[in-house]
Structure formats: structure tokens, C-alpha cells
Amino acid sequence: MRFDTVIIGGGLAGLTAGICLQQEGRSCAIVSTGQNALHFFSGSFESVEAPTPRMSDLFTQAGIAVHYSPGVRLMPLGTFRPAALSLSDVTLAETPKFARKVLIVNFLGYQDFFTTFLADGLEREGMSCRIATLDLPETGQIMSSPSEMRSVQIARVMDRAWEKAVQEVRILLKDEDTVILPQVFGLNDSSVPERVRQAIPARVIFVGTLPPSVPGIRTQQLLKRRFEVLGGTYLSGDEVLQAHLHDGAVHSIVTRNLGSHYLEADHFILASGGFFSKGLKSNPFQVSEPVFGLDVRQAGDRSAWYDPDFKADQPYLQFGVETDEALHPLLGGRPVRNLYAIGSVLGGTRPELGTGAGLALRSAFAAADGILESPVIPNEA
Ligand SMILES: Cc1cc2nc3c(=O)[nH]c(=O)nc-3n(C[C@H](O)[C@H](O)[C@H](O)COP(=O)(O)OP(=O)(O)OC[C@H]3O[C@@H](n4cnc5c(N)ncnc54)[C@H](O)[C@@H]3O)c2cc1C
């Protein structure tokens, strides 16, 4: 099978690059093993001070509602963190003391939402809190098995029963000016969080739960849908095992499911993520990039990989694939000319492109531009 570009990894970076290329009429395939960092996404885009027009277009066209208002957001354990560009479910407050009286509402039997930590955190900031529980017949059905009582299962129920939940919250509400709910609304319909907000006569704040992240999964689904609507091919549940290189360029890649049917392309993009997604791997002696065996920037001495202070910025998070200016990764010190490395696989090697989601977006745009600026090679297949 032959494409203009084959992308390894279907997280934020890979999907963004794929959408940019498909929009310009280039045929792309994305191969992705499965879960990615978006499934754990807080809803706030790190290192994006203000969205560029290109980022705004990407989100709007994919149906992803975001807002930008630098402030602080309430974290799942009741602490506060600065945030700016965020999904619209995420409420950003100017200061940590954003309310007078708060009602924290959970679903009966749901243990992945930490109401007591939240109440402690808010009370430390001078807000008074009351915790209440919703006992709905709809969630009662999944409660019979504790392993089913997870964010995504509740979100599936809430897709059809959110109005019932809202009615019950309205009954629970006394004189509180703010209601806090777990982030389990709008898995398949991104308008639901806003409709919940409109239907409750108090300020509504959705707070993250233990993973998986419902807004993160929705974001991934919307980007994937946009890529496919544009004609892209998404091969999910497959893994790129190795690559064939010839004369300093990638010729084809081998995947677990396609076996001897190699994927050939003019361009390849490595968007396989960091340690979490196995885009980078480590053993006691070294950190490596498993598909191409690319050069990885790392500290030689293993004792320099970690800072014993658990809370410090850990040096290993800076490790990543080395690239030239144009994001072509280095192999034996030389750039692979038709391969680009983007997103978390870069670690901290390209600080000017930011960190987290900001790095994923900026490097994806840069790689797509590099490909679009290069001449189209006639398809021989
Ligand atoms: C747990 C966690 C939570 C995070 N939360 C946030 C947040 O809230 N905000 C923020 O700004 N940043 C966050 N980040 C940083 C995050 O890494 C970036 O925001 C961004 O989503 C990374 O996107 P990516 O596409 O580079 O990598 P990933 O999202 O990791 O995607 C890489 C994909 O490549 C696939 N893959 C790997 N190897 C292969 C292979 N050989 N063949 C096929 N597929 C392969 C993986 O399965 C995965 O699907 C978080 C990171 C982690 C690990």
C-alpha cells in the first residue's frame, strides 16, 4: 500500500499533522497501537499562551470547543494550577477563591472523583463546601459491578441521562453559588457540558476524575473523525515494528497486522509519543527509539536520569529524539531526509516549540509544512 505520507502514532501530534496534510489533498495513513496521552488529558493545553489562527481553525473545523482565558483551574485533588487555552468544559477562574459556597456533587458508588480532597482544598481558600451524592437509577445499573463504575461508563449513561442528573442537582442545591461536578459529561456530544451549565442556576465547574479523561477521549474522537472525513486512513490497533531505509531515507514500514504488505510513502512522520506511549523505551543502560533506532539525547550516566527529589523536574523527561532544524531525526548523526519526528517523542530537545500539547501542535504544523513545501513525487504504484 502506498500513501503520500504515513504517520506512526495517532495522538494529538499525529492526528494534527494528518489533518493538515489531508486538507491539502495529500493522502495519509496513520498507524496507531491504541491509547494515547489524550486519554489522560486534563483539558488544558500546556505551553499555549494564546491559540494561533491555525490552532483555532483546527479546533473549530474538528468541532472541538475551546476557550482562552489565562487563570487558574481546580485540579482533581483540590489544588490549583495556572492554565490558559482549555477545552470549553474546563472552567478557568481568575483567582483560587472563585466562590462563596460550593456544592460538590458525586454519583453514588463512584470512587474516582475525590470530593473530600476537593472540599479540603476549597476550604483552605476560604470557601465553604457541602458534599452531596446523586443516586440515579440510570447509574445504579452500572454500579452493580465496581469495575464498571468508571468515568467513561458513567459518561455513556450521562449522554442520555444528563437532564435527569441536572434535575436532581437542582433539588440538592440550597444557597450555594457554585456546583462542582465530575468531568463525565459530553463523551459523544460536546454540547452537553454547556447545556448542563445553562440548566443549573449556579456556576457549574467540571473537575477531572481519575483517567480515562472523558473530554480527552472526545477530543481524540473528534480529531480522528475530522481526519477520516478528509479521506485519511486510520489503522487503529496496529503497531509499526520496523522500517526499511535506503540511501538515508525511509522506503517502507512493517506493521504487525499487515505483515509483508509494507506501507510505502514519500514521507513518514514519527509521532509515537514519549515513554508513556512507548515511543521512547528504556533499559537499565540506555534510552532508545524502538522503530528506527534513532539518535536519542540522554544523560550517559544513569544516576543523572532522575532527581531524587520526587517533586523536581525529572531529567529523563528532557530525553528525546534528536533532530535537525527541520525536524528530520538523526540516525547515526545524519538526518533521515523524508522522516519527521513530532510531539512527545522529541522530549525536551526542541524547547522553542514548547512542551505538552503545545509541542505536539507546533511540531505537527511544522512537519506538515515541510512536507507540503517539498515537491510531490509521482506515485509509481
Ligand atoms: C498521562 C499524560 C497526561 C498528559 N496530560 C496533558 C495535559 O493535560 N495537557 C498537556 O498539554 N499535555 C499533557 N500531556 C503531554 C502529552 O504528551 C501531549 O499533550 C500530547 O498529547 C502528546 O501527543 P503525541 O501525539 O506526541 O503522543 P501520544 O499522545 O503519546 O501518542 C502517541 C501514539 O503513538 C502510538 N504508538 C507508539 N509507538 C507506536 C508504534 N510503534 N506503532 C504504532 N503506534 C505507536 C501510541 O500508542 C500512541 O497512541 C500528558 C502526557 C501524559 C503521558
Side-chain angles (χ1 to χ4, degrees), residues 57-327:
D57 288 350
L58 174 81
F59 297 134
T60 308
Q61 287 160 0
I64 298 167
V66 295
H67 68 130
Y68 167 73
S69 62
V72 290
R73 64 173 299 184
L74 179 58
M75 303 302 287
L77 297 182
T79 55
F80 288 87
R81 232 194 234 170
L85 181 69
S86 300
L87 298 179
S88 59
D89 330 36
V90 175
T91 307
L92 299 173
E94 280 173 20
T95 61
K97 185 167 188 317
F98 56 83
R100 194 175 44 82
K101 280 189 159 187
V102 182
L103 174 66
I104 304 173
V105 182
N106 194 12
F107 295 92
L108 184 68
Y110 183 43
Q111 294 177 358
D112 294 348
F113 184 56
F114 305 114
T115 51
T116 316
F117 283 115
L118 285 169
D120 285 350
L122 298 181
E123 278 164 8
R124 268 198 304 275
E125 297 293 338
M127 292 168 265
S128 81
C129 294
R130 185 163 64 89
I131 299 172
T133 309
L134 283 185
D135 183 5
L136 301 177
E138 288 81 358
T139 47
Q141 284 162 13
I142 50 173
M143 213 176 91
S144 51
S145 157
S147 62
E148 291 289 300
M149 203 65 181
R150 294 284 174 258
S151 58
V152 173
Q153 279 80 356
I154 297 180
R156 283 203 190 104
V157 174
M158 282 305 115
D159 271 347
R160 52 190 159 78
W162 66 268
E163 282 168 302
K164 186 82 183 291
V166 162
Q167 267 174 23
E168 295 297 318
V169 172
R170 289 176 68 111
I171 294 168
L172 290 169
L173 194 62
K174 290 184 184 157
D175 58 345
E176 289 88 2
D177 53 293
T178 300
V179 173
I180 290 181
L181 290 168
Q183 226 165 32
V184 294
F185 294 87
L187 179 64
N188 292 307
D189 179 353
S190 52
S191 70
V192 170
E194 189 50 35
R195 288 154 83 185
V196 171
R197 278 198 183 111
Q198 296 296 330
I200 294 177
R203 185 183 200 186
V204 175
I205 294 184
F206 300 101
V207 173
T209 65
L210 274 190
S213 154
V214 169
I217 291 178
R218 185 207 312 137
T219 303
Q220 206 265 344
Q221 282 171 351
L222 289 170
L223 288 171
K224 178 170 175 275
R225 193 175 307 156
R226 172 81 180 139
F227 174 69
E228 289 178 327
V229 163
L230 290 166
T233 303
Y234 194 97
L235 303 168
S236 72
D238 201 356
E239 182 184 6
V240 177
L241 300 175
Q242 66 176 104
H244 298 135
L245 282 88
H246 177 69
D247 196 19
V250 185
H251 174 261
S252 57
I253 56 168
V254 182
T255 81
R256 188 179 296 285
N257 293 351
L258 296 172
S260 58
H261 300 283
Y262 304 150
L263 287 176
E264 296 179 6
D266 301 327
H267 310 276
F268 292 82
I269 297 179
L270 182 68
S272 51
F275 295 101
F276 176 80
S277 292
K278 303 197 174 76
L280 296 172
K281 284 191 171 171
S282 71
N283 64 29
F285 311 104
Q286 64 165 356
V287 174
S288 61
E289 182 287 307
V291 175
F292 298 90
L294 299 168
D295 299 353
V296 174
R297 186 185 298 171
Q298 54 195 289
D301 178 359
R302 194 164 191 272
S303 64
W305 289 13
Y306 305 97
D307 189 320
D309 175 2
F310 181 70
K311 289 188 185 152
D313 288 339
Q314 292 296 332
Y316 70 88
L317 292 174
Q318 297 302 312
F319 299 174
V321 162
E322 300 258 28
T323 58
D324 67 5
E325 266 302 295
L327 290 171

Side-chain angles (χ1 to χ4, degrees), residues 7-15 31-48 73 81 211 220 234-235 238-242 270-280 289-291 342-346 355-361 363:
I7 300 171
I8 303 162
L12 181 61
L15 280 164
V31 186
S32 200
T33 43
Q35 274 199 337
N36 58 70
L38 281 175
H39 291 86
F40 297 76
F41 190 47
S42 65
S44 294
F45 294 77
E46 227 177 80
S47 81
V48 185
R73 64 173 299 184
R81 232 194 234 170
Q220 206 265 344
Y234 194 97
L235 303 168
D238 201 356
E239 182 184 6
V240 177
L241 300 175
Q242 66 176 104
L270 182 68
S272 51
F275 295 101
F276 176 80
S277 292
K278 303 197 174 76
L280 296 172
E289 182 287 307
V291 175
I342 62 173
S344 299
V345 76
L346 294 169
T355 57
L359 170 65
L361 291 168
S363 57

